[in-house]
PDB file of all heavy atoms in Angstrom:
ATOM      1  N   THR A1371      17.300 -39.234  32.388  1.00  0.00           N
ATOM      2  CA  THR A1371      16.849 -40.610  32.461  1.00  0.00           C
ATOM      3  C   THR A1371      17.386 -41.384  31.274  1.00  0.00           C
ATOM      4  O   THR A1371      17.075 -41.071  30.123  1.00  0.00           O
ATOM      5  CB  THR A1371      15.308 -40.684  32.455  1.00  0.00           C
ATOM      6  OG1 THR A1371      14.798 -39.867  33.511  1.00  0.00           O
ATOM      7  CG2 THR A1371      14.831 -42.116  32.642  1.00  0.00           C
ATOM      8  N   LYS A1372      18.197 -42.387  31.552  1.00  0.00           N
ATOM      9  CA  LYS A1372      18.772 -43.240  30.507  1.00  0.00           C
ATOM     10  C   LYS A1372      19.449 -42.414  29.410  1.00  0.00           C
ATOM     11  O   LYS A1372      19.289 -42.674  28.220  1.00  0.00           O
ATOM     12  CB  LYS A1372      17.697 -44.139  29.891  1.00  0.00           C
ATOM     13  CG  LYS A1372      17.086 -45.116  30.886  1.00  0.00           C
ATOM     14  CD  LYS A1372      16.028 -45.969  30.228  1.00  0.00           C
ATOM     15  CE  LYS A1372      15.399 -46.928  31.229  1.00  0.00           C
ATOM     16  NZ  LYS A1372      14.357 -47.793  30.589  1.00  0.00           N
ATOM     17  N   GLY A1373      20.176 -41.411  29.832  1.00  0.00           N
ATOM     18  CA  GLY A1373      20.918 -40.600  28.876  1.00  0.00           C
ATOM     19  C   GLY A1373      20.128 -39.477  28.250  1.00  0.00           C
ATOM     20  O   GLY A1373      20.706 -38.585  27.623  1.00  0.00           O
ATOM     21  N   ASP A1374      18.784 -39.486  28.376  1.00  0.00           N
ATOM     22  CA  ASP A1374      17.949 -38.421  27.835  1.00  0.00           C
ATOM     23  C   ASP A1374      17.709 -37.360  28.919  1.00  0.00           C
ATOM     24  O   ASP A1374      17.474 -37.688  30.085  1.00  0.00           O
ATOM     25  CB  ASP A1374      16.605 -38.971  27.364  1.00  0.00           C
ATOM     26  CG  ASP A1374      16.764 -39.886  26.164  1.00  0.00           C
ATOM     27  OD1 ASP A1374      17.740 -39.690  25.414  1.00  0.00           O
ATOM     28  OD2 ASP A1374      15.923 -40.789  25.983  1.00  0.00           O
ATOM     29  N   VAL A1375      17.729 -36.085  28.479  1.00  0.00           N
ATOM     30  CA  VAL A1375      17.548 -34.974  29.410  1.00  0.00           C
ATOM     31  C   VAL A1375      16.198 -34.317  29.121  1.00  0.00           C
ATOM     32  O   VAL A1375      15.851 -34.073  27.954  1.00  0.00           O
ATOM     33  CB  VAL A1375      18.680 -33.943  29.266  1.00  0.00           C
ATOM     34  CG1 VAL A1375      18.439 -32.752  30.183  1.00  0.00           C
ATOM     35  CG2 VAL A1375      20.017 -34.587  29.589  1.00  0.00           C
ATOM     36  N   VAL A1376      15.434 -34.030  30.192  1.00  0.00           N
ATOM     37  CA  VAL A1376      14.177 -33.306  30.051  1.00  0.00           C
ATOM     38  C   VAL A1376      14.185 -32.122  31.010  1.00  0.00           C
ATOM     39  O   VAL A1376      14.847 -32.152  32.055  1.00  0.00           O
ATOM     40  CB  VAL A1376      12.947 -34.205  30.329  1.00  0.00           C
ATOM     41  CG1 VAL A1376      12.845 -35.312  29.297  1.00  0.00           C
ATOM     42  CG2 VAL A1376      12.995 -34.765  31.738  1.00  0.00           C
ATOM     43  N   ILE A1377      13.466 -31.066  30.614  1.00  0.00           N
ATOM     44  CA  ILE A1377      13.325 -29.880  31.476  1.00  0.00           C
ATOM     45  C   ILE A1377      12.047 -30.063  32.271  1.00  0.00           C
ATOM     46  O   ILE A1377      10.946 -30.157  31.700  1.00  0.00           O
ATOM     47  CB  ILE A1377      13.287 -28.581  30.651  1.00  0.00           C
ATOM     48  CG1 ILE A1377      14.676 -28.251  30.087  1.00  0.00           C
ATOM     49  CG2 ILE A1377      12.829 -27.402  31.513  1.00  0.00           C
ATOM     50  CD1 ILE A1377      15.031 -29.018  28.844  1.00  0.00           C
ATOM     51  N   THR A1378      12.159 -30.112  33.588  1.00  0.00           N
ATOM     52  CA  THR A1378      10.997 -30.355  34.441  1.00  0.00           C
ATOM     53  C   THR A1378      10.360 -29.068  34.964  1.00  0.00           C
ATOM     54  O   THR A1378       9.202 -29.075  35.371  1.00  0.00           O
ATOM     55  CB  THR A1378      11.393 -31.241  35.630  1.00  0.00           C
ATOM     56  OG1 THR A1378      12.441 -30.587  36.373  1.00  0.00           O
ATOM     57  CG2 THR A1378      11.887 -32.603  35.138  1.00  0.00           C
ATOM     58  N   ALA A1379      11.109 -27.971  34.937  1.00  0.00           N
ATOM     59  CA  ALA A1379      10.562 -26.695  35.423  1.00  0.00           C
ATOM     60  C   ALA A1379      11.512 -25.577  35.014  1.00  0.00           C
ATOM     61  O   ALA A1379      12.682 -25.802  34.684  1.00  0.00           O
ATOM     62  CB  ALA A1379      10.380 -26.717  36.944  1.00  0.00           C
ATOM     63  N   VAL A1380      10.976 -24.352  35.036  1.00  0.00           N
ATOM     64  CA  VAL A1380      11.789 -23.154  34.805  1.00  0.00           C
ATOM     65  C   VAL A1380      11.583 -22.204  35.974  1.00  0.00           C
ATOM     66  O   VAL A1380      10.643 -22.363  36.762  1.00  0.00           O
ATOM     67  CB  VAL A1380      11.410 -22.456  33.477  1.00  0.00           C
ATOM     68  CG1 VAL A1380      11.718 -23.354  32.284  1.00  0.00           C
ATOM     69  CG2 VAL A1380       9.941 -22.034  33.466  1.00  0.00           C
ATOM     70  N   SER A1381      12.445 -21.201  36.089  1.00  0.00           N
ATOM     71  CA  SER A1381      12.392 -20.272  37.230  1.00  0.00           C
ATOM     72  C   SER A1381      12.150 -18.848  36.752  1.00  0.00           C
ATOM     73  O   SER A1381      13.100 -18.051  36.619  1.00  0.00           O
ATOM     74  CB  SER A1381      13.711 -20.348  38.021  1.00  0.00           C
ATOM     75  OG  SER A1381      13.960 -21.670  38.448  1.00  0.00           O
ATOM     76  N   PRO A1382      10.880 -18.486  36.498  1.00  0.00           N
ATOM     77  CA  PRO A1382      10.593 -17.127  36.010  1.00  0.00           C
ATOM     78  C   PRO A1382      10.898 -16.035  37.032  1.00  0.00           C
ATOM     79  O   PRO A1382      11.009 -14.867  36.662  1.00  0.00           O
ATOM     80  CB  PRO A1382       9.102 -17.178  35.669  1.00  0.00           C
ATOM     81  CG  PRO A1382       8.553 -18.336  36.416  1.00  0.00           C
ATOM     82  CD  PRO A1382       9.666 -19.322  36.568  1.00  0.00           C
ATOM     83  N   GLN A1383      11.042 -16.385  38.333  1.00  0.00           N
ATOM     84  CA  GLN A1383      11.335 -15.386  39.359  1.00  0.00           C
ATOM     85  C   GLN A1383      12.830 -15.261  39.638  1.00  0.00           C
ATOM     86  O   GLN A1383      13.232 -14.554  40.565  1.00  0.00           O
ATOM     87  CB  GLN A1383      10.589 -15.735  40.657  1.00  0.00           C
ATOM     88  CG  GLN A1383       9.069 -15.760  40.512  1.00  0.00           C
ATOM     89  CD  GLN A1383       8.515 -14.436  40.001  1.00  0.00           C
ATOM     90  OE1 GLN A1383       8.932 -13.360  40.449  1.00  0.00           O
ATOM     91  NE2 GLN A1383       7.591 -14.504  39.058  1.00  0.00           N
ATOM     92  N   HIS A1384      13.634 -15.938  38.828  1.00  0.00           N
ATOM     93  CA  HIS A1384      15.088 -15.841  38.998  1.00  0.00           C
ATOM     94  C   HIS A1384      15.508 -14.388  38.749  1.00  0.00           C
ATOM     95  O   HIS A1384      15.002 -13.726  37.838  1.00  0.00           O
ATOM     96  CB  HIS A1384      15.786 -16.772  37.997  1.00  0.00           C
ATOM     97  CG  HIS A1384      17.245 -16.950  38.257  1.00  0.00           C
ATOM     98  ND1 HIS A1384      18.182 -15.999  37.930  1.00  0.00           N
ATOM     99  CD2 HIS A1384      17.941 -17.983  38.822  1.00  0.00           C
ATOM    100  CE1 HIS A1384      19.389 -16.440  38.258  1.00  0.00           C
ATOM    101  NE2 HIS A1384      19.271 -17.642  38.808  1.00  0.00           N
ATOM    102  N   PRO A1385      16.423 -13.858  39.565  1.00  0.00           N
ATOM    103  CA  PRO A1385      16.838 -12.446  39.381  1.00  0.00           C
ATOM    104  C   PRO A1385      17.308 -12.131  37.960  1.00  0.00           C
ATOM    105  O   PRO A1385      17.043 -11.034  37.451  1.00  0.00           O
ATOM    106  CB  PRO A1385      17.980 -12.292  40.395  1.00  0.00           C
ATOM    107  CG  PRO A1385      17.691 -13.325  41.442  1.00  0.00           C
ATOM    108  CD  PRO A1385      17.056 -14.481  40.747  1.00  0.00           C
ATOM    109  N   ALA A1386      17.998 -13.066  37.320  1.00  0.00           N
ATOM    110  CA  ALA A1386      18.478 -12.812  35.952  1.00  0.00           C
ATOM    111  C   ALA A1386      17.312 -12.691  34.976  1.00  0.00           C
ATOM    112  O   ALA A1386      17.359 -11.903  34.023  1.00  0.00           O
ATOM    113  CB  ALA A1386      19.424 -13.926  35.505  1.00  0.00           C
ATOM    114  N   VAL A1387      16.251 -13.476  35.216  1.00  0.00           N
ATOM    115  CA  VAL A1387      15.068 -13.399  34.347  1.00  0.00           C
ATOM    116  C   VAL A1387      14.331 -12.087  34.585  1.00  0.00           C
ATOM    117  O   VAL A1387      13.899 -11.418  33.632  1.00  0.00           O
ATOM    118  CB  VAL A1387      14.138 -14.608  34.583  1.00  0.00           C
ATOM    119  CG1 VAL A1387      12.867 -14.480  33.750  1.00  0.00           C
ATOM    120  CG2 VAL A1387      14.855 -15.910  34.254  1.00  0.00           C
TER     121      VAL A1387
END
Side-chain angles (χ1 to χ4, degrees):
T1371 305
K1372 297 180 181 181
D1374 293 333
V1375 177
V1376 296
I1377 287 81
T1378 59
V1380 296
S1381 303
Q1383 299 303 317
H1384 191 283
V1387 176

